[in-house]
Amino acid sequence: MSREGGFTLLEVLLSVSIISLLAGLSVPVYDAFVRRNDLDLTTQTVAATLRRAQTYARSGDYDTAWSVEIQAATVTLFQGTNFGGRNTNYDEPVSIPASITPSGLGEVQFAKFTSAPNTTGNIILTSTANAAKTISINGKGSVDY
């Protein structure tokens, strides 16, 4: 009596249901990881943009002050102290993921040569997963998070 190899319908259904269960359980974990990663990367990017503006101002790059404008969807490094009247040729915009909401300081200007900020305070980045990171700028211009 010869018996052919193969899978029964019950074995196939059981395998498919186990794979579906594992995939269903891993999607929320992956989503939380992506949101946490977006928050970390955005925090690092905003801090780096502030530090870059400070460096440009300290070196007197283009003989002017440099500033950073923080909006809902972008962070823009720009030349000068007036976002509305800036020369857009020197803009360095960086996108913020839709899952991140910035609040706190909206614009920080760094003075030419001294690189002193015009304001002190915090920029708070909040994720849709209710996690938050704070970037602090003190009177000396130190950017910490």
Side-chain angles (χ1 to χ4, degrees):
M1 191 153 99
S2 99
R3 209 167 160 173
E4 301 249 349
F7 297 104
T8 65
L9 180 60
L10 182 62
E11 290 171 331
V12 171
L13 288 175
L14 186 60
S15 298
V16 168
S17 63
I18 289 172
I19 291 171
S20 298
L21 180 68
L22 289 174
L25 292 174
S26 65
V27 167
V29 172
Y30 176 73
D31 186 50
F33 169 76
V34 168
R35 289 179 191 200
R36 193 170 45 251
N37 192 46
D38 282 349
L39 181 60
D40 289 341
L41 289 175
T42 302
T43 303
Q44 292 171 8
T45 301
V46 171
T49 302
L50 288 163
R51 289 176 181 144
R52 188 199 280 13
Q54 189 177 32
T55 301
Y56 286 173
R58 183 178 298 127
S59 68
D61 218 9
Y62 295 102
D63 196 33
T64 187
W66 285 82
S67 305
V68 176
E69 175 79 13
I70 299 137
Q71 298 173 333
T74 59
V75 173
T76 306
L77 169 66
F78 67 94
Q79 180 186 12
T81 58
N82 183 352
F83 188 71
R86 73 194 188 284
N87 182 347
T88 58
N89 292 329
Y90 298 101
D91 282 3
E92 293 183 23
V94 178
S95 297
I96 294 177
S99 62
I100 306 294
T101 304
S103 60
L105 297 176
E107 184 172 298
V108 180
Q109 302 163 1
F110 293 96
K112 180 174 69 170
F113 298 127
T114 66
S115 71
N118 70 324
T119 186
T120 62
N122 297 321
I123 299 165
I124 300 146
L125 302 172
T126 307
S127 165
T128 53
N130 291 329
K133 295 264 186 166
T134 302
I135 301 169
S136 300
I137 302 167
N138 69 16
K140 304 246 185 210
S142 177
V143 177
D144 299 308
Y145 62 93

CSV table of all heavy atoms in Angstrom, one decimal, residues 63-107:
chain,number,residue,atom,x,y,z
A,63,ASP,N,27.9,87.0,6.7
A,63,ASP,CA,27.9,88.2,7.4
A,63,ASP,C,26.5,88.5,8.0
A,63,ASP,O,26.0,89.7,7.9
A,63,ASP,CB,28.4,89.4,6.6
A,63,ASP,CG,28.8,90.6,7.4
A,63,ASP,OD1,29.2,90.4,8.6
A,63,ASP,OD2,28.6,91.7,6.9
A,64,THR,N,25.8,87.5,8.6
A,64,THR,CA,24.5,87.7,9.1
A,64,THR,C,24.2,86.7,10.2
A,64,THR,O,24.9,85.8,10.4
A,64,THR,CB,23.4,87.6,8.0
A,64,THR,OG1,22.2,88.0,8.5
A,64,THR,CG2,23.4,86.2,7.4
A,65,ALA,N,23.1,87.0,10.9
A,65,ALA,CA,22.6,86.0,11.9
A,65,ALA,C,21.9,84.9,11.2
A,65,ALA,O,21.6,85.0,10.0
A,65,ALA,CB,21.6,86.7,12.8
A,66,TRP,N,21.8,83.8,11.9
A,66,TRP,CA,21.1,82.6,11.4
A,66,TRP,C,20.0,82.2,12.3
A,66,TRP,O,20.1,82.4,13.6
A,66,TRP,CB,22.0,81.4,11.1
A,66,TRP,CG,22.9,81.7,9.9
A,66,TRP,CD1,24.0,82.4,9.9
A,66,TRP,CD2,22.7,81.2,8.6
A,66,TRP,NE1,24.5,82.4,8.6
A,66,TRP,CE2,23.7,81.6,7.8
A,66,TRP,CE3,21.7,80.3,8.1
A,66,TRP,CZ2,23.8,81.3,6.4
A,66,TRP,CZ3,21.8,80.0,6.7
A,66,TRP,CH2,22.8,80.5,5.9
A,67,SER,N,18.9,81.7,11.8
A,67,SER,CA,17.7,81.3,12.6
A,67,SER,C,17.1,80.0,12.2
A,67,SER,O,17.4,79.5,11.1
A,67,SER,CB,16.7,82.4,12.5
A,67,SER,OG,17.2,83.7,12.8
A,68,VAL,N,16.3,79.5,13.1
A,68,VAL,CA,15.5,78.3,12.8
A,68,VAL,C,14.1,78.5,13.1
A,68,VAL,O,13.7,79.0,14.2
A,68,VAL,CB,16.0,77.1,13.7
A,68,VAL,CG1,15.2,75.9,13.5
A,68,VAL,CG2,17.5,76.8,13.5
A,69,GLU,N,13.2,78.2,12.1
A,69,GLU,CA,11.8,78.3,12.2
A,69,GLU,C,11.2,76.9,12.4
A,69,GLU,O,11.5,76.0,11.6
A,69,GLU,CB,11.2,79.0,11.0
A,69,GLU,CG,9.7,79.1,10.9
A,69,GLU,CD,9.1,80.2,11.8
A,69,GLU,OE1,9.9,81.1,12.2
A,69,GLU,OE2,7.9,80.2,12.0
A,70,ILE,N,10.4,76.7,13.4
A,70,ILE,CA,9.8,75.4,13.7
A,70,ILE,C,8.3,75.5,13.4
A,70,ILE,O,7.6,76.2,14.1
A,70,ILE,CB,10.1,74.9,15.1
A,70,ILE,CG1,11.6,74.8,15.3
A,70,ILE,CG2,9.4,73.6,15.4
A,70,ILE,CD1,12.1,75.3,16.6
A,71,GLN,N,7.8,74.7,12.4
A,71,GLN,CA,6.4,74.7,12.1
A,71,GLN,C,5.9,73.3,12.2
A,71,GLN,O,6.7,72.4,12.5
A,71,GLN,CB,6.2,75.3,10.7
A,71,GLN,CG,6.7,76.7,10.5
A,71,GLN,CD,6.6,77.2,9.1
A,71,GLN,OE1,6.8,76.4,8.2
A,71,GLN,NE2,6.5,78.5,8.9
A,72,ALA,N,4.6,73.1,12.0
A,72,ALA,CA,4.0,71.8,12.2
A,72,ALA,C,4.6,70.7,11.3
A,72,ALA,O,4.8,69.6,11.7
A,72,ALA,CB,2.5,71.9,11.9
A,73,ALA,N,5.0,71.0,10.1
A,73,ALA,CA,5.4,70.0,9.1
A,73,ALA,C,6.9,70.1,8.8
A,73,ALA,O,7.5,69.2,8.2
A,73,ALA,CB,4.6,70.0,7.9
A,74,THR,N,7.5,71.3,9.1
A,74,THR,CA,9.0,71.5,8.7
A,74,THR,C,9.7,72.3,9.8
A,74,THR,O,9.1,73.0,10.5
A,74,THR,CB,9.1,72.2,7.4
A,74,THR,OG1,8.5,73.5,7.5
A,74,THR,CG2,8.6,71.4,6.2
A,75,VAL,N,11.0,72.0,9.8
A,75,VAL,CA,12.0,72.9,10.5
A,75,VAL,C,12.9,73.5,9.5
A,75,VAL,O,13.4,72.7,8.6
A,75,VAL,CB,12.8,72.0,11.5
A,75,VAL,CG1,13.9,72.8,12.1
A,75,VAL,CG2,11.9,71.4,12.5
A,76,THR,N,13.0,74.8,9.5
A,76,THR,CA,13.7,75.5,8.4
A,76,THR,C,14.9,76.3,9.0
A,76,THR,O,14.7,77.1,9.9
A,76,THR,CB,12.8,76.4,7.6
A,76,THR,OG1,11.7,75.7,7.1
A,76,THR,CG2,13.6,77.0,6.5
A,77,LEU,N,16.1,76.0,8.6
A,77,LEU,CA,17.3,76.8,8.9
A,77,LEU,C,17.3,77.9,7.9
A,77,LEU,O,17.3,77.6,6.7
A,77,LEU,CB,18.5,75.9,8.9
A,77,LEU,CG,19.9,76.6,8.9
A,77,LEU,CD1,20.1,77.3,10.3
A,77,LEU,CD2,21.0,75.6,8.7
A,78,PHE,N,17.4,79.1,8.3
A,78,PHE,CA,17.4,80.2,7.3
A,78,PHE,C,18.4,81.3,7.7
A,78,PHE,O,18.7,81.4,8.9
A,78,PHE,CB,16.0,80.8,7.1
A,78,PHE,CG,15.4,81.5,8.3
A,78,PHE,CD1,15.5,82.9,8.4
A,78,PHE,CD2,14.7,80.8,9.2
A,78,PHE,CE1,14.9,83.5,9.5
A,78,PHE,CE2,14.1,81.4,10.3
A,78,PHE,CZ,14.2,82.8,10.4
A,79,GLN,N,18.7,82.1,6.7
A,79,GLN,CA,19.7,83.2,6.9
A,79,GLN,C,18.9,84.4,7.4
A,79,GLN,O,17.9,84.8,6.7
A,79,GLN,CB,20.4,83.4,5.6
A,79,GLN,CG,21.4,84.6,5.7
A,79,GLN,CD,22.0,84.8,4.3
A,79,GLN,OE1,21.5,84.3,3.3
A,79,GLN,NE2,23.0,85.6,4.2
A,80,GLY,N,19.4,85.1,8.4
A,80,GLY,CA,18.7,86.3,8.9
A,80,GLY,C,17.9,86.1,10.1
A,80,GLY,O,17.9,85.1,10.8
A,81,THR,N,17.1,87.2,10.4
A,81,THR,CA,16.3,87.2,11.7
A,81,THR,C,14.8,87.3,11.4
A,81,THR,O,14.0,87.3,12.3
A,81,THR,CB,16.7,88.3,12.6
A,81,THR,OG1,16.6,89.6,11.9
A,81,THR,CG2,18.2,88.2,13.1
A,82,ASN,N,14.4,87.3,10.1
A,82,ASN,CA,13.0,87.5,9.8
A,82,ASN,C,12.6,86.4,8.8
A,82,ASN,O,13.1,86.4,7.7
A,82,ASN,CB,12.8,88.9,9.2
A,82,ASN,CG,11.4,89.1,8.9
A,82,ASN,OD1,10.5,88.3,9.0
A,82,ASN,ND2,11.1,90.4,8.5
A,83,PHE,N,11.8,85.5,9.3
A,83,PHE,CA,11.4,84.3,8.4
A,83,PHE,C,10.6,84.8,7.2
A,83,PHE,O,10.8,84.3,6.1
A,83,PHE,CB,10.6,83.3,9.2
A,83,PHE,CG,10.3,82.1,8.5
A,83,PHE,CD1,11.3,81.1,8.2
A,83,PHE,CD2,9.0,81.8,8.0
A,83,PHE,CE1,11.0,79.9,7.6
A,83,PHE,CE2,8.7,80.6,7.3
A,83,PHE,CZ,9.8,79.7,7.1
A,84,GLY,N,9.8,85.8,7.3
A,84,GLY,CA,9.0,86.3,6.2
A,84,GLY,C,9.9,87.0,5.2
A,84,GLY,O,9.6,86.9,4.0
A,85,GLY,N,11.0,87.7,5.6
A,85,GLY,CA,11.8,88.5,4.6
A,85,GLY,C,13.1,87.8,4.3
A,85,GLY,O,14.0,88.5,3.9
A,86,ARG,N,13.2,86.5,4.5
A,86,ARG,CA,14.5,85.8,4.3
A,86,ARG,C,14.8,85.6,2.8
A,86,ARG,O,13.9,85.6,2.0
A,86,ARG,CB,14.5,84.5,5.1
A,86,ARG,CG,13.6,83.4,4.4
A,86,ARG,CD,13.3,82.3,5.3
A,86,ARG,NE,12.6,81.2,4.6
A,86,ARG,CZ,11.3,81.2,4.2
A,86,ARG,NH1,10.6,82.2,4.5
A,86,ARG,NH2,10.8,80.2,3.6
A,87,ASN,N,16.0,85.3,2.5
A,87,ASN,CA,16.4,84.9,1.2
A,87,ASN,C,16.2,83.3,1.1
A,87,ASN,O,17.0,82.6,1.7
A,87,ASN,CB,17.9,85.3,0.9
A,87,ASN,CG,18.3,84.9,-0.5
A,87,ASN,OD1,17.6,84.2,-1.2
A,87,ASN,ND2,19.4,85.5,-0.9
A,88,THR,N,15.3,82.9,0.4
A,88,THR,CA,14.9,81.4,0.4
A,88,THR,C,16.0,80.6,-0.3
A,88,THR,O,16.0,79.4,-0.2
A,88,THR,CB,13.6,81.2,-0.3
A,88,THR,OG1,13.6,81.7,-1.6
A,88,THR,CG2,12.5,81.8,0.5
A,89,ASN,N,17.0,81.2,-1.0
A,89,ASN,CA,18.0,80.5,-1.6
A,89,ASN,C,18.9,79.8,-0.6
A,89,ASN,O,19.6,78.8,-0.9
A,89,ASN,CB,18.9,81.4,-2.5
A,89,ASN,CG,18.1,81.9,-3.7
A,89,ASN,OD1,17.3,81.2,-4.2
A,89,ASN,ND2,18.5,83.1,-4.1
A,90,TYR,N,18.9,80.3,0.7
A,90,TYR,CA,19.8,79.7,1.7
A,90,TYR,C,19.0,78.8,2.7
A,90,TYR,O,19.6,78.4,3.7
A,90,TYR,CB,20.5,80.8,2.4
A,90,TYR,CG,21.4,81.6,1.5
A,90,TYR,CD1,21.0,82.9,1.0
A,90,TYR,CD2,22.6,81.1,1.1
A,90,TYR,CE1,21.8,83.6,0.2
A,90,TYR,CE2,23.5,81.9,0.3
A,90,TYR,CZ,23.1,83.1,-0.2
A,90,TYR,OH,23.9,83.8,-1.0
A,91,ASP,N,17.8,78.6,2.4
A,91,ASP,CA,17.0,77.8,3.3
A,91,ASP,C,17.5,76.3,3.3
A,91,ASP,O,17.9,75.8,2.3
A,91,ASP,CB,15.5,77.8,2.9
A,91,ASP,CG,14.8,79.0,3.3
A,91,ASP,OD1,15.4,79.9,3.9
A,91,ASP,OD2,13.6,79.1,3.1
A,92,GLU,N,17.4,75.7,4.5
A,92,GLU,CA,17.6,74.3,4.7
A,92,GLU,C,16.4,73.7,5.4
A,92,GLU,O,16.5,73.5,6.6
A,92,GLU,CB,18.9,74.0,5.4
A,92,GLU,CG,20.2,74.5,4.7
A,92,GLU,CD,21.5,74.1,5.5
A,92,GLU,OE1,21.5,73.2,6.3
A,92,GLU,OE2,22.5,74.8,5.2
A,93,PRO,N,15.4,73.3,4.6
A,93,PRO,CA,14.2,72.8,5.3
A,93,PRO,C,14.3,71.3,5.6
A,93,PRO,O,15.0,70.5,4.8
A,93,PRO,CB,13.1,73.0,4.3
A,93,PRO,CG,13.8,73.0,3.0
A,93,PRO,CD,15.2,73.5,3.2
A,94,VAL,N,13.8,70.8,6.7
A,94,VAL,CA,13.7,69.4,7.0
A,94,VAL,C,12.3,69.1,7.4
A,94,VAL,O,11.7,69.8,8.2
A,94,VAL,CB,14.7,69.1,8.2
A,94,VAL,CG1,14.6,67.7,8.6
A,94,VAL,CG2,16.1,69.5,7.9
A,95,SER,N,11.8,68.0,6.8
A,95,SER,CA,10.4,67.6,7.1
A,95,SER,C,10.3,66.9,8.5
A,95,SER,O,11.2,66.2,8.9
A,95,SER,CB,9.9,66.6,6.1
A,95,SER,OG,9.9,67.2,4.8
A,96,ILE,N,9.1,67.2,9.1
A,96,ILE,CA,8.8,66.5,10.4
A,96,ILE,C,7.7,65.5,10.0
A,96,ILE,O,6.7,65.8,9.4
A,96,ILE,CB,8.2,67.5,11.4
A,96,ILE,CG1,9.3,68.5,11.8
A,96,ILE,CG2,7.7,66.8,12.6
A,96,ILE,CD1,8.9,69.6,12.8
A,97,PRO,N,7.8,64.3,10.5
A,97,PRO,CA,6.8,63.3,10.2
A,97,PRO,C,5.4,63.7,10.8
A,97,PRO,O,5.4,64.4,11.8
A,97,PRO,CB,7.3,62.0,11.0
A,97,PRO,CG,8.7,62.2,11.2
A,97,PRO,CD,9.0,63.7,11.3
A,98,ALA,N,4.4,63.3,10.1
A,98,ALA,CA,3.0,63.6,10.5
A,98,ALA,C,2.7,63.1,11.9
A,98,ALA,O,1.8,63.7,12.6
A,98,ALA,CB,2.0,63.1,9.5
A,99,SER,N,3.4,62.1,12.4
A,99,SER,CA,3.1,61.6,13.7
A,99,SER,C,3.7,62.4,14.9
A,99,SER,O,3.6,62.1,16.0
A,99,SER,CB,3.6,60.1,13.8
A,99,SER,OG,5.0,60.1,13.6
A,100,ILE,N,4.5,63.5,14.5
A,100,ILE,CA,5.2,64.3,15.5
A,100,ILE,C,4.5,65.7,15.5
A,100,ILE,O,4.4,66.3,14.4
A,100,ILE,CB,6.7,64.4,15.2
A,100,ILE,CG1,7.3,63.0,15.1
A,100,ILE,CG2,7.4,65.3,16.3
A,100,ILE,CD1,7.3,62.2,16.4
A,101,THR,N,4.2,66.2,16.7
A,101,THR,CA,3.7,67.6,16.8
A,101,THR,C,4.7,68.4,17.6
A,101,THR,O,4.9,68.1,18.8
A,101,THR,CB,2.3,67.5,17.5
A,101,THR,OG1,1.5,66.7,16.8
A,101,THR,CG2,1.7,68.9,17.6
A,102,PRO,N,5.2,69.5,17.0
A,102,PRO,CA,6.1,70.4,17.8
A,102,PRO,C,5.3,71.4,18.5
A,102,PRO,O,4.3,71.9,18.1
A,102,PRO,CB,7.0,71.0,16.7
A,102,PRO,CG,6.2,71.0,15.5
A,102,PRO,CD,5.2,69.8,15.6
A,103,SER,N,5.8,71.8,19.7
A,103,SER,CA,5.2,72.9,20.5
A,103,SER,C,6.3,73.6,21.2
A,103,SER,O,7.5,73.2,21.3
A,103,SER,CB,4.1,72.4,21.4
A,103,SER,OG,4.7,71.5,22.3
A,104,GLY,N,6.0,74.7,21.8
A,104,GLY,CA,7.0,75.5,22.5
A,104,GLY,C,7.6,76.6,21.6
A,104,GLY,O,6.8,77.2,20.9
A,105,LEU,N,8.9,76.8,21.6
A,105,LEU,CA,9.5,77.9,20.8
A,105,LEU,C,9.2,77.6,19.4
A,105,LEU,O,9.3,76.5,18.9
A,105,LEU,CB,11.0,77.9,21.0
A,105,LEU,CG,11.5,78.2,22.4
A,105,LEU,CD1,13.0,78.1,22.5
A,105,LEU,CD2,11.1,79.6,22.8
A,106,GLY,N,8.8,78.7,18.6
A,106,GLY,CA,8.6,78.6,17.2
A,106,GLY,C,9.7,79.0,16.3
A,106,GLY,O,9.8,78.6,15.2
A,107,GLU,N,10.5,79.9,16.9
A,107,GLU,CA,11.6,80.5,16.1
A,107,GLU,C,12.8,80.8,17.1
A,107,GLU,O,12.5,81.4,18.2
A,107,GLU,CB,11.2,81.7,15.4
A,107,GLU,CG,12.3,82.3,14.5
A,107,GLU,CD,11.8,83.4,13.6
A,107,GLU,OE1,10.9,83.1,12.7
A,107,GLU,OE2,12.3,84.5,13.7
